[in-house]
Amino acid sequence: MRIDATNMHFADLNAAVRNDSEEEIVIENCIGQRYIAAGSSERHISVIGTPGNALGAYLNGTSVRVEGNVQEATGDTMNCGSIVVNGSAGDATGYAMRGGVILVRGDVGYRCGIHMKAYRENKPAIVIGGRAGSFLGEYQAGGTIVVLGDRRGGKPIIGNFCGTGMHGGEIYLRCEEIPPLLPAQVRAERVSELPEDVRSLIGAWCGAFGEGAAAYLNASYIRLVPNSANPYKQMYTDN
Amino acid sequence: MNIYIRPEYEVVRDENRCIACRVCERQCANEVHRFDPETGRMIAESDKCVNCHRCVCLCPTHALKIVKSDDTYKTNANWDNQTINEVYKQANSGGVLLSSMGNPKPYPVFWDKMLINASQVTNPPIDPLREPMETQLWLGRRSAAIERDEKGRLKNTLAPQLKLNVPILFSAMSYGSISYNAHESLARAAEELGTYYNTGEGGLHKDFYKYGKNTIVQVASGRFGVFEGYLESAAAIEIKMGQGAKPGIGGHLPGAKISADVSETRMIPQGVDAISPAPHHDIYSIEDLRQLVYSLKEATAYKKPVIVKIAAVHNIAAIASGIARSGADVIAIDGYRGGTGAAPTRIRDNVGIPIELALAEVDQRLRDEGIRDDVSILVGGSIRSSADVVKAIALGADACYIGTAALLALGCHLCRTCHAGRCNWGIATQRPDLVKRLNPDIGYKRLVNLVTAWNHEIQEMMGGMGINSIEALRGNRLMLRGLGLNEAELRILGIKYAGESM
């Protein structure tokens, strides 16, 4: 089904999506409607335009592709499924996501992948084509974040405070040098060979946006991991 | 150098009664008691005792008691023993002091400074044994637009409501902070009583989805266990912004407490710390809160009320006004005496304000702004008796959350050592040998007993006032009078002094 979202309120648009029986849905002329595909499962939703905040919140298996930029809190607490953004994404992208994958062609804002966590077979992943803002992977507890740092025009690949409070998961940065000023909870190392799951994530990103994989796979990467899975263990005394 | 700190409580054994049956030894997870084969007698190490009274209760000959130690430093009204010991502990370890359960400090309890009215002569009291006395109520947004369909019939525009048979719910306690058997007891009691229990931030165990219609699920900053099925299974969804025992800080379940089962329920790896950050990192304003409220409503097709829980803090009235405008259906306010499975001592004992004052302020502000009917108000932290419930409702609450009282019903003796994870009563622990001590068949009955008894008492007090419906008591502050309160306290509570007439 095709839905023309021009001048539609988000509640009406989302009710139309929810109540539609078709698996394939195309939303055209999207102009900032929030919560599209919230909690959705087993759908394929294409969005043309700019969806509003909390696109794909609690997403539960649906695949979403956006031709345009997305705003804040995309994929909040997403459980499984995929969100592909042919544009850039705002702040708190992938907040607390537990599974599924978010592919962003351009940049992401602050706090991307904050409190992302993995659980058994659920291993969430975010691949960012451009640069990431400050607080990337803050409190990260699991999953994989890859920053490809494309078209960054001499600017740093990540902002400040990357991985503050990180206690699980991993971050891959496509760059030559270990970024300065990483917090104490983070250990940085050069990657000699990209693991297979990361290669396939990068492959998926290239496939989604029609980019050649060679330049991204045959590059140098820095890997960030937490120093300890129990960062606060020694902080307390019984009273 | 560690300075020796003498224990605050001592185990005293009546040697004439003790039969060296070693029950105390088997029952104590803190390993206080041991049998000395040389003398054939039991020995107790008071240093390890947390004063949970498990051994006292189970000793078949009642040979044990726990007494406050009369050992003391030189008496000092400023530097009491506890204060000095805390300095020693921190100098010994360099650690943040960690405590459990509610603030035990001797701050005033305003519930105990308010008295309830009764009818005499001019309007008769009602006998709840022979006349109907309604304690059923609904939580949710009551204001609704009047709309008619093309045939002129009234459309149902009322927001989803939670029906309660009693004005009491069990407050949020996560699986992880309390045990499987404690959760099962709460869930079954809520079902039988026609009320709700709250998962806290620990996810919902797969065995308990069947109690969904009596379950409130929580969404907090860590989002543990939150997914579509979890939201869908519940009767209502609570967004946890804060907790009375530790306003302004997050939660932290140590990796050691993340058992296989807790890991599955929280949907996080085993053995890794579960950290709930202090803020929701996507909420910096009422507009942002509104976004989370509506994302939950959208994900559940507007079928479930959304509760926003906050700690009682200084500007509570303005905050509550914002929440009422965020689209939330219910505001839950948690006072500074609320319990916790672990909180830094200094936060627990020094941050936040009493629930009585917070409730009165919020109710008044929402009335002044004409938005009281846009939300229901739930209060907790701490409600200790049916009289506290009646006073809370008269001050403006719709219903009350009870946590500590419910745990007491399950056997908790308020030793305030939950954070150690060795609860001898099988409540605040994940150790299988300890958890099985709490039998949910008995636990749920005790909870049902407690709430049923309170409900009878509430009906008696309502009858005495000549009020036959709990909803007619809500915000009826003329039913309260203050005693031992100053002008500011009376003004904030919005009540008259005892003896003052209307």
Side-chain angles (χ1 to χ4, degrees), chain A residues 17-103:
Chain A
V17 172
R18 226 179 2 249
N19 299 330
D20 187 69
S21 56
E22 285 181 42
E23 200 183 305
E24 302 269 347
I25 292 174
V26 179
I27 299 169
E28 294 173 312
N29 300 316
C30 191
I31 45 162
Q33 285 93 348
R34 296 178 166 195
Y35 325 113
I36 291 172
S40 171
S41 51
E42 294 167 22
R43 300 289 190 91
H44 299 284
I45 300 176
S46 298
V47 181
I48 297 156
T50 308
N53 290 0
L55 167 75
Y58 323 102
L59 196 74
N60 203 27
T62 283
S63 64
V64 179
R65 185 176 173 109
V66 180
E67 295 300 333
N69 299 321
V70 295
Q71 298 187 21
E72 266 70 77
T74 299
D76 182 348
T77 323
M78 158 174 179
N79 198 45
C80 52
S82 69
I83 300 176
V84 176
V85 179
N86 195 1
S88 287
D91 297 342
T93 300
Y95 180 171
M97 71 187 281
R98 181 186 304 114
V101 60
I102 298 178
L103 306 175

Side-chain angles (χ1 to χ4, degrees), chain B residues 114-320:
Chain B
M114 287 185 280
L115 298 167
I116 298 164
N117 195 26
S119 303
Q120 297 293 297
V121 185
T122 52
N123 55 337
I126 307 167
D127 180 357
L129 294 177
R130 65 178 267 271
E131 289 181 55
M133 187 64 62
E134 195 57 81
T135 58
Q136 181 176 283
L137 68 131
W138 281 264
L139 297 178
R141 172 180 289 257
R142 271 178 287 274
S143 51
I146 305 284
E147 286 176 29
R148 293 181 184 278
D149 65 14
E150 56 283 0
K151 289 187 176 158
R153 289 172 303 204
L154 214 51
K155 283 196 208 167
N156 182 5
T157 53
L158 194 64
Q161 307 278 316
L162 274 189
K163 183 186 168 194
L164 282 75
N165 286 338
V166 291
I168 297 161
L169 308 85
F170 300 123
S171 41
M173 290 176 275
S174 70
Y175 178 44
S177 76
I178 61 170
S179 66
Y180 178 97
N181 286 357
H183 253 214
E184 181 180 337
S185 304
L186 290 164
R188 287 168 62 184
E191 185 178 51
E192 182 152 326
L193 289 162
T195 183
Y196 303 85
Y197 83 108
N198 187 314
T199 61
E201 200 197 356
L204 180 58
H205 194 282
K206 58 182 184 301
D207 296 350
F208 300 151
Y209 274 78
K210 61 182 177 216
Y211 302 110
K213 65 178 178 24
N214 296 97
T215 305
I216 296 170
V217 296
Q218 213 175 47
V219 172
S221 61
R223 305 279 205 273
F224 298 117
V226 178
F227 75 108
E228 175 61 12
Y230 171 81
L231 301 175
E232 204 49 61
S233 70
I237 301 165
E238 181 171 272
I239 298 172
K240 179 193 175 184
M241 299 303 302
Q243 179 179 348
K246 38 182 171 179
I249 68 166
H252 168 219
L253 192 66
K257 285 196 188 179
I258 317 276
S259 64
D261 217 25
V262 171
S263 142
E264 189 181 337
T265 304
R266 293 199 176 211
M267 304 169 94
I268 51 170
Q270 205 173 333
V272 175
D273 285 6
I275 297 169
S276 289
H280 288 248
H281 283 284
D282 52 351
I283 299 181
Y284 286 76
S285 66
I286 294 297
E287 291 76 10
D288 290 348
L289 174 64
R290 185 178 177 83
Q291 175 179 311
L292 186 59
V293 168
Y294 273 89
S295 79
L296 291 165
K297 289 189 172 191
E298 281 285 350
T300 53
Y302 296 87
K303 286 186 204 133
K304 298 170 200 297
V306 173
I307 305 167
V308 174
K309 177 180 176 178
I310 46 170
V313 291
H314 297 181
N315 293 315
I316 187 76
I319 296 162

Side-chain angles (χ1 to χ4, degrees), chain A:
Chain A
M1 189 176 83
R2 297 184 90 82
I3 302 172
D4 182 355
T6 308
N7 292 332
M8 260 180 124
H9 188 269
F10 70 74
D12 299 329
L13 172 61
N14 294 327
V17 172
R18 226 179 2 249
N19 299 330
D20 187 69
S21 56
E22 285 181 42
E23 200 183 305
E24 302 269 347
I25 292 174
V26 179
I27 299 169
E28 294 173 312
N29 300 316
C30 191
I31 45 162
Q33 285 93 348
R34 296 178 166 195
Y35 325 113
I36 291 172
S40 171
S41 51
E42 294 167 22
R43 300 289 190 91
H44 299 284
I45 300 176
S46 298
V47 181
I48 297 156
T50 308
N53 290 0
L55 167 75
Y58 323 102
L59 196 74
N60 203 27
T62 283
S63 64
V64 179
R65 185 176 173 109
V66 180
E67 295 300 333
N69 299 321
V70 295
Q71 298 187 21
E72 266 70 77
T74 299
D76 182 348
T77 323
M78 158 174 179
N79 198 45
C80 52
S82 69
I83 300 176
V84 176
V85 179
N86 195 1
S88 287
D91 297 342
T93 300
Y95 180 171
M97 71 187 281
R98 181 186 304 114
V101 60
I102 298 178
L103 306 175
V104 179
R105 181 164 207 172
D107 303 332
V108 294
Y110 289 152
R111 301 210 150 88
C112 177
I114 184 170
H115 220 303
M116 204 167 146
K117 46 179 78 71
Y119 169 66
R120 289 193 182 165
E121 68 281 4
N122 296 345
K123 200 168 173 242
I126 303 176
V127 184
I128 299 148
R131 303 167 54 235
S134 294
F135 306 101
L136 175 73
E138 198 179 12
Y139 295 107
Q140 190 180 344
T144 307
I145 299 174
V146 182
V147 187
L148 297 175
D150 222 4
R151 290 183 286 249
R152 62 188 137 117
K155 293 181 183 161
I157 188 165
I158 51 172
N160 299 322
F161 311 110
C162 176
T164 303
M166 185 175 184
H167 53 290
E170 48 188 5
I171 299 175
Y172 288 86
L173 306 173
R174 189 176 68 126
C175 56
E176 304 285 337
E177 301 296 328
I178 292 174
L181 302 174
L182 289 171
Q185 299 94 331
V186 173
R187 201 178 75 229
E189 63 199 17
R190 269 174 213 290
V191 180
S192 50
E193 199 186 333
L194 278 179
E196 198 42 53
D197 56 334
V198 178
R199 291 178 74 86
S200 75
L201 278 173
I202 294 169
W205 182 89
C206 293
F209 303 118
E211 300 272 0
Y216 298 99
L217 291 176
N218 305 322
S220 49
Y221 281 85
I222 303 292
R223 177 172 181 258
L224 309 183
V225 289
N227 260 333
S228 155
N230 306 100
Y232 301 125
K233 207 172 176 177
Q234 299 305 324
M235 232 175 88
Y236 299 109
T237 187
D238 285 352
N239 188 34

